[in-house]
Amino acid sequence: MTIFRCVGCRQPLTDEVESGEPVQGPERPAGHAIASPRMAAGTFKVSFDARLLIVHPDDLPGVARHPDARRLAGCCGPSGLDGPNLVCSGCGAEVATKESDCWTDNYVALIAAAITDEPTAS
């Protein structure tokens, strides 16, 4: 198990998480419904280029919405197209991008360069 922390202030950003695989969800919901989360709660997946870590949206108690409302654009949730939209709740550093609009997948991508990991005792 691992807890990801802000590289700047060491604030815990995630709950305990472990490596996992994306959930093979059903087809996109109709209309303006938000898709099921791409990752199961308590899991993360490193992106193919190792620049992002994909996590379940509910596994991030140490983040807050970006103070710039332009970063939160979307009709049903943030689209993630306007740059990082989640910040460390400790120091305000940009740490992740949440996508959860009706036409996107539903996940949070932690920026690998903005976080550090801390293994926990199992």
Side-chain angles (χ1 to χ4, degrees), residues 63-69 71-73 78 84-89 92 98:
V63 303
R65 294 172 59 159
H66 201 288
D68 182 352
R71 298 285 183 99
L72 304 170
N85 55 23
L86 295 175
V87 297
C88 171
S89 61
K98 180 176 184 176

Short mmCIF file of all heavy atoms in Angstrom, two decimals, residues 63-69 71-73 78 84-89 92 98:
data_model
loop_
_atom_site.label_atom_id
_atom_site.label_comp_id
_atom_site.label_asym_id
_atom_site.label_seq_id
_atom_site.Cartn_x
_atom_site.Cartn_y
_atom_site.Cartn_z
N VAL A 63 -6.76 16.94 -1.39
CA VAL A 63 -6.78 17.91 -2.49
C VAL A 63 -8.00 18.82 -2.38
O VAL A 63 -8.96 18.51 -1.69
CB VAL A 63 -6.75 17.23 -3.88
CG1 VAL A 63 -5.54 16.33 -4.03
CG2 VAL A 63 -8.02 16.46 -4.15
N ALA A 64 -7.91 19.94 -3.09
CA ALA A 64 -9.02 20.89 -3.16
C ALA A 64 -9.17 21.34 -4.61
O ALA A 64 -8.24 21.18 -5.42
CB ALA A 64 -8.73 22.10 -2.27
N ARG A 65 -10.33 21.89 -4.92
CA ARG A 65 -10.55 22.42 -6.27
C ARG A 65 -9.63 23.61 -6.51
O ARG A 65 -9.31 24.36 -5.61
CB ARG A 65 -12.00 22.86 -6.41
CG ARG A 65 -12.96 21.69 -6.35
CD ARG A 65 -14.38 22.14 -6.29
NE ARG A 65 -14.70 22.96 -7.45
CZ ARG A 65 -15.91 23.19 -7.91
NH1 ARG A 65 -16.93 22.67 -7.27
NH2 ARG A 65 -16.12 23.93 -8.94
N HIS A 66 -9.21 23.75 -7.74
CA HIS A 66 -8.34 24.86 -8.13
C HIS A 66 -9.07 26.18 -7.89
O HIS A 66 -10.26 26.29 -8.17
CB HIS A 66 -7.96 24.73 -9.61
CG HIS A 66 -6.73 25.47 -9.98
ND1 HIS A 66 -6.69 26.83 -10.06
CD2 HIS A 66 -5.49 25.03 -10.29
CE1 HIS A 66 -5.48 27.21 -10.42
NE2 HIS A 66 -4.72 26.13 -10.56
N PRO A 67 -8.39 27.20 -7.37
CA PRO A 67 -9.07 28.48 -7.12
C PRO A 67 -9.43 29.24 -8.39
O PRO A 67 -10.30 30.11 -8.36
CB PRO A 67 -8.04 29.27 -6.29
CG PRO A 67 -6.73 28.65 -6.59
CD PRO A 67 -7.01 27.20 -6.88
N ASP A 68 -8.82 28.90 -9.52
CA ASP A 68 -9.15 29.54 -10.80
C ASP A 68 -10.32 28.79 -11.42
O ASP A 68 -10.15 27.67 -11.93
CB ASP A 68 -7.93 29.51 -11.72
CG ASP A 68 -8.16 30.20 -13.05
OD1 ASP A 68 -9.32 30.58 -13.36
OD2 ASP A 68 -7.18 30.35 -13.80
N ALA A 69 -11.50 29.37 -11.40
CA ALA A 69 -12.71 28.71 -11.90
C ALA A 69 -12.60 28.30 -13.37
O ALA A 69 -13.27 27.37 -13.80
CB ALA A 69 -13.92 29.62 -11.70
N ARG A 71 -10.31 26.68 -14.67
CA ARG A 71 -9.75 25.33 -14.70
C ARG A 71 -10.81 24.26 -14.48
O ARG A 71 -10.55 23.08 -14.67
CB ARG A 71 -8.68 25.17 -13.61
CG ARG A 71 -7.49 26.08 -13.75
CD ARG A 71 -6.58 25.60 -14.87
NE ARG A 71 -5.40 26.42 -14.97
CZ ARG A 71 -4.22 26.09 -14.46
NH1 ARG A 71 -4.07 24.96 -13.83
NH2 ARG A 71 -3.20 26.90 -14.59
N LEU A 72 -12.01 24.67 -14.07
CA LEU A 72 -13.06 23.73 -13.70
C LEU A 72 -14.16 23.62 -14.75
O LEU A 72 -15.24 23.10 -14.48
CB LEU A 72 -13.67 24.15 -12.35
CG LEU A 72 -12.65 24.28 -11.22
CD1 LEU A 72 -13.29 24.94 -10.00
CD2 LEU A 72 -12.04 22.94 -10.86
N ALA A 73 -13.89 24.09 -15.97
CA ALA A 73 -14.90 24.12 -17.02
C ALA A 73 -15.42 22.73 -17.37
O ALA A 73 -14.68 21.75 -17.37
CB ALA A 73 -14.33 24.79 -18.27
N PRO A 78 -15.85 18.69 -14.20
CA PRO A 78 -14.69 19.24 -14.89
C PRO A 78 -14.26 18.35 -16.07
O PRO A 78 -14.21 17.13 -15.95
CB PRO A 78 -13.61 19.28 -13.81
CG PRO A 78 -14.06 18.32 -12.78
CD PRO A 78 -15.54 18.26 -12.84
N PRO A 84 -4.32 21.47 -14.94
CA PRO A 84 -4.58 20.89 -13.62
C PRO A 84 -5.69 21.66 -12.91
O PRO A 84 -5.72 22.88 -12.91
CB PRO A 84 -3.24 21.05 -12.89
CG PRO A 84 -2.23 21.07 -13.99
CD PRO A 84 -2.91 21.80 -15.11
N ASN A 85 -6.63 20.91 -12.32
CA ASN A 85 -7.77 21.55 -11.67
C ASN A 85 -7.92 21.14 -10.20
O ASN A 85 -8.90 21.49 -9.56
CB ASN A 85 -9.07 21.31 -12.45
CG ASN A 85 -9.36 19.84 -12.69
OD1 ASN A 85 -8.88 18.98 -11.97
ND2 ASN A 85 -10.13 19.57 -13.72
N LEU A 86 -6.94 20.42 -9.67
CA LEU A 86 -6.91 20.08 -8.25
C LEU A 86 -5.57 20.52 -7.68
O LEU A 86 -4.53 20.37 -8.32
CB LEU A 86 -7.09 18.57 -8.04
CG LEU A 86 -8.44 17.99 -8.46
CD1 LEU A 86 -8.43 16.47 -8.30
CD2 LEU A 86 -9.57 18.60 -7.67
N VAL A 87 -5.63 21.06 -6.46
CA VAL A 87 -4.43 21.55 -5.79
C VAL A 87 -4.27 20.85 -4.45
O VAL A 87 -5.23 20.32 -3.89
CB VAL A 87 -4.47 23.08 -5.59
CG1 VAL A 87 -4.53 23.82 -6.93
CG2 VAL A 87 -5.64 23.50 -4.71
N CYS A 88 -3.06 20.86 -3.94
CA CYS A 88 -2.78 20.35 -2.61
C CYS A 88 -3.52 21.22 -1.60
O CYS A 88 -3.43 22.45 -1.65
CB CYS A 88 -1.28 20.39 -2.34
SG CYS A 88 -0.82 20.03 -0.64
N SER A 89 -4.26 20.61 -0.69
CA SER A 89 -5.00 21.41 0.30
C SER A 89 -4.06 21.98 1.36
O SER A 89 -4.47 22.84 2.13
CB SER A 89 -6.11 20.58 0.95
OG SER A 89 -5.58 19.46 1.62
N GLY A 92 -1.41 24.49 -1.78
CA GLY A 92 -2.01 25.08 -2.98
C GLY A 92 -1.30 24.74 -4.28
O GLY A 92 -1.69 25.24 -5.34
N LYS A 98 -8.71 16.40 -12.66
CA LYS A 98 -9.90 15.55 -12.57
C LYS A 98 -10.68 15.68 -13.86
O LYS A 98 -10.91 16.78 -14.35
CB LYS A 98 -10.78 15.96 -11.39
CG LYS A 98 -12.02 15.11 -11.24
CD LYS A 98 -12.83 15.48 -10.02
CE LYS A 98 -14.00 14.52 -9.88
NZ LYS A 98 -14.76 14.78 -8.66
#
